Amino acid sequence: MFFGFSRGDTMLQRVTGRNNESFGSAGLDAEILSLATAVPKYRFAQGEALQCVKRHFPQLSHLEGVFANTGIATRYSCVPLDWFRQGHCWADRNAIYEESALKLLEEAARLAISGAGLCARDIAAIVVVSSTGLSVPSLDARLANRLRLNPAAERLPIFGLGCAGGVT
């Protein structure tokens, strides 16, 4: 998930259509200017995901009810389901995560920035939420470099909260 904010007198007026007096001492009013999504290449039905888990991770069979109760019909993955049949160490899995997450994050960020009518240098702060894995340096730092954000842009990586990370 990517959120970008811009600041500065002229930028605040451009972003919000308001003048500085309206921000008061409480801080900056925030608005959603653009939304964009990016999804991994491989798409499959929830039932296929369940069968994969049952086949390759039998120790998780007690979670079968979770698949039935989520309301999720379609899932996406950065790797085909067959990839899970092969033995992959932590380093392999994390390398796929870092490469794929950054690619998707960059795609969504570029679309959102463009959709807002901004350029990357206009972004003053980014919040990146990951419910999947960790990356050092963090994904927000890597994204800032790829997008050529202003070096003074503030970054807030949020991780370790699972699906609640997006709500946070």
Side-chain angles (χ1 to χ4, degrees):
M1 189 176 295
F2 166 81
F3 300 98
F5 305 93
S6 36
R7 67 171 169 222
D9 290 349
T10 57
M11 188 50 58
L12 291 176
Q13 291 170 357
R14 179 176 172 199
V15 170
T16 64
R18 299 185 185 114
N19 61 31
N20 283 343
E21 288 79 31
S22 67
F23 295 112
S25 61
L28 173 68
D29 289 335
E31 295 180 22
I32 297 174
L33 298 178
S34 176
L35 278 176
T37 60
V39 295
K41 176 180 178 179
Y42 299 97
R43 179 180 179 201
F44 46 91
Q46 177 76 330
E48 290 176 273
L50 173 58
Q51 293 309 313
C52 180
V53 167
K54 288 169 71 172
R55 191 171 41 249
H56 303 297
F57 307 102
Q59 70 275 20
L60 299 178
S61 62
H62 64 284
L63 297 176
E64 188 171 334
V66 172
F67 284 83
N69 294 321
T70 62
I72 296 171
T74 304
R75 290 192 177 263
Y76 294 88
S77 175
C78 295
V79 294
L81 287 179
D82 289 346
W83 185 86
F84 295 99
R85 289 185 184 162
Q86 307 156 11
H88 295 282
C89 66
W90 172 255
D92 291 344
R93 293 190 306 267
N94 204 56
I96 291 287
Y97 163 74
E98 287 181 351
E99 175 186 326
S100 301
L102 186 56
K103 177 183 173 206
L104 293 168
L105 183 58
E106 181 180 7
E107 181 182 341
R110 287 190 187 282
L111 288 169
I113 290 168
S114 175
L118 300 172
C119 37
R121 285 282 187 187
D122 294 332
I123 304 301
I126 60 173
V127 179
V128 174
V129 179
S130 175
S131 59
T132 305
L134 289 174
S135 174
V136 177
S138 59
L139 292 172
D140 59 295
R142 293 176 186 210
L143 178 67
N145 287 338
R146 279 199 179 182
L147 296 178
R148 299 185 191 277
L149 297 182
N150 182 328
E154 296 187 38
R155 301 178 294 108
L156 177 60
I158 298 176
F159 56 90
L161 300 177
C163 295
V167 174
T168 301

